Amino acid sequence: MQKQETIQVKDKTFAISIPELELKQQIKRVADEITRDYAGRQPVFLAVLNGSFIFAADLLREIDLPCEISFVKLASYQGTNSTGSIREVIGLNIDITDRPVIIVEDIVDTGLTMAHMLDTLKGHNPASIDICTLLLKPTKLQVKLDIRYCCKEIPDDFVVGFGLDYDGFGRNTKDIYTIIQNQ
Ligand code: IMP
């Protein structure tokens, strides 16, 4: 897609906020940190679909280690108990027992998704688990999370692009866009 200052996704307008070049630079920085920290080990990257598909592709190509990648998804369904929506990790088709795992996520907002993912993965007895996220909204976090790798912290505004969506659309831009308020 062509670079544009503003884009329309369904009924909302978004303005460019993180250009492609900055994203690539931050992804390279984080990939270099992982390569350094995991020297001598063979991590398994677990990318959380759908939002992380572009980030994961860019990150992995900057990692200079023997490593594997697998893709997982969180399926939501309505439970019969009072907690309402229950999310289940599906697609984990690789044995992570005693392996160092790095979760690759597009964005951590309240952190509830990541907390749930951590709980589930711990049940598979990995050697270790680190979190690697493209974006983090620190002011929205509702749970205590140790986020070891973060490309960029952003304010509490809704963003799209570079894999992130608004109602399924807007994933296919090279830059990240922030919603224009008061529309
Ligand atoms: P959390 O459980 O509140 O941390 O939400 C995490 C998930 O919500 C992410 O994986 C995204 O799918 C979605 N999400 C949160 N904030 C945004 C945003 O600004 N744009 C697009 N998706 C978002």
Side-chain angles (χ1 to χ4, degrees), residues 105-113 137 157-159 164-165:
E105 177 65 294
D106 56 351
I107 186 164
V108 175
D109 187 287
T110 62
L112 294 171
T113 305
K137 296 179 185 170
D157 296 314
F158 194 80
V159 294
L164 289 107
D165 73 306

Side-chain angles (χ1 to χ4, degrees), residues 7 18 27 29 33 35 40 45 54 71 79 119 124 142 149:
I7 55 166
I18 316 175
I27 291 169
R29 172 185 62 78
E33 283 174 29
T35 297
F45 290 87
I54 292 177
F71 295 87
D119 271 358
H124 293 262
Q142 288 179 18
Y149 304 106

Side-chain angles (χ1 to χ4, degrees), residues 23 48-55 106 134 159-166 168-176:
L23 290 167
V48 186
L49 292 174
N50 294 328
S52 72
F53 75 109
I54 292 177
F55 173 42
D106 56 351
L134 178 67
V159 294
V160 292
F162 204 79
L164 289 107
D165 73 306
Y166 164 52
F169 286 79
R171 297 191 197 271
N172 56 318
T173 63
K174 293 179 179 173
D175 311 284
I176 285 183

